[in-house]
């Protein structure tokens, strides 16, 4: 569905959230893949403080430990726009959600494991995706756990942090940072509920 009428000339986040919530999963995925770089950037800026997001957004409360929750992603990098962020809760660990990036270049970049925590300070009400942290265990079928260092993984994921803001019940918008510097890269995620 083309939702650009809700993005230009001024973003109508309330109406956009309502429309996205009314679509099925495939409709939400299609809509987010039509958003341009400028629209993703504008959505990220507009979504600050719009709708608080917590760990249950990436892995719903009803999902048990080691149950994979997939978010379809579309980013603004020059190549390889499509990816997935796959998330999981580990047993006896309610304060952190873990995940990795599933995409066509994993053989070269590594899985890009990360920790997800609640934001604080300037990022209150957001989620922080921290690539400096890796889990101690993984669900069956996930790639071997590897740190985000070395030549290519270090370039791609080393020192990286993503900040995630909610747009609707299933759709979020994020921005990538290296250290404290914005990378001028944005991405949209669409959660598919497990089951």
């Amino acid at each position: 569905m083309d939702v650009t009428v809700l993005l230009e000339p001024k973003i109508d986040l309330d109406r956009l959230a309502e429309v996205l919530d009314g679509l099925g999963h495939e409709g939400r995925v299609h809509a987010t893949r039509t958003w341009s770089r400028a629209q993703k950037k504008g959505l990220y800026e507009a979504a600050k403080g719009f709708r608080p997001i917590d760990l249950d957004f990436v892995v719903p409360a009803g999902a048990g430990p080691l149950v994979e929750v997939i978010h379809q992603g579309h980013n603004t990098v020059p190549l390889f726009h499509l990816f997935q962020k796959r998330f999981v809760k580990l047993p006896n660990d309610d304060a952190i959600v873990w995940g990795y990036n599933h995409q066509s270049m994993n053989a070269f970049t590594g899985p890009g494991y990360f920790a997800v925590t609640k934001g604080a300070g300037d990022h209150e009400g957001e989620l922080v995706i921290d690539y400096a942290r890796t889990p101690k265990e993984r669900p069956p079928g996930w790639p071997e756990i590897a740190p985000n260092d070395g030549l290519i993984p270090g370039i791609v994921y080393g020192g990286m942090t993503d900040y995630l803001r909610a747009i609707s019940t299933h759709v979020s918008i994020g921005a990538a940072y290296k250290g404290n510097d914005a990378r001028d890269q944005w991405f949209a995620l669409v959660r598919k509920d497990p089951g």
Side-chain angles (χ1 to χ4, degrees), residues 92-115:
N92 305 312
D93 192 357
D94 293 333
I96 299 175
V97 167
W98 299 92
Y100 82 97
N101 288 289
H102 183 82
Q103 41 93 6
S104 62
M105 298 302 291
N106 277 27
F108 303 101
T109 65
Y113 273 100
F114 52 77

Side-chain angles (χ1 to χ4, degrees), residues 136-178:
K136 301 234 182 309
E137 63 180 298
R138 62 189 168 90
W142 277 29
E144 290 296 324
I145 297 169
N148 296 312
D149 56 16
L151 183 58
I152 297 176
I155 292 170
V156 176
Y157 300 117
M160 194 161 89
T161 305
D162 295 334
Y163 296 101
L164 200 59
R165 298 172 178 173
I167 295 176
S168 69
T169 305
H170 295 85
V171 178
S172 56
I173 191 83
Y177 282 71
K178 277 271 195 179

Side-chain angles (χ1 to χ4, degrees), residues 17-193:
E18 181 183 351
V19 169
L20 291 170
D21 282 343
L23 296 174
H25 177 72
E26 293 304 321
R28 288 188 279 270
V29 170
H30 174 75
T32 60
R33 289 181 179 176
T34 66
W35 297 343
S36 70
R37 172 189 214 59
Q39 289 167 334
K40 283 185 176 78
K41 178 182 179 183
L43 281 164
Y44 180 77
E45 291 168 357
K48 181 158 184 69
F50 172 66
R51 182 183 199 135
I53 187 172
D54 61 20
L55 297 175
D56 288 344
F57 183 91
V58 290
V59 177
L66 299 176
V67 173
E68 176 183 75
V69 179
I70 297 174
H71 292 236
Q72 296 290 340
H74 186 264
N75 63 43
T76 61
V77 298
L79 298 171
F80 312 110
H81 300 293
L82 303 180
F83 67 100
Q84 296 174 343
K85 283 194 184 297
R86 296 185 176 189
F87 299 91
V88 70
K89 291 178 185 172
L90 295 180
N92 305 312
D93 192 357
D94 293 333
I96 299 175
V97 167
W98 299 92
Y100 82 97
N101 288 289
H102 183 82
Q103 41 93 6
S104 62
M105 298 302 291
N106 277 27
F108 303 101
T109 65
Y113 273 100
F114 52 77
V116 185
T117 57
K118 294 179 185 178
D122 290 343
H123 296 285
E124 184 81 30
E126 302 174 15
L127 292 178
V128 179
I129 299 174
D130 182 359
Y131 290 85
R133 300 173 68 185
T134 55
K136 301 234 182 309
E137 63 180 298
R138 62 189 168 90
W142 277 29
E144 290 296 324
I145 297 169
N148 296 312
D149 56 16
L151 183 58
I152 297 176
I155 292 170
V156 176
Y157 300 117
M160 194 161 89
T161 305
D162 295 334
Y163 296 101
L164 200 59
R165 298 172 178 173
I167 295 176
S168 69
T169 305
H170 295 85
V171 178
S172 56
I173 191 83
Y177 282 71
K178 277 271 195 179
N180 293 322
D181 300 324
R183 296 187 72 186
D184 198 31
Q185 296 172 355
W186 295 270
F187 59 92
L189 296 177
V190 180
R191 186 186 75 233
K192 183 173 175 89
D193 290 331

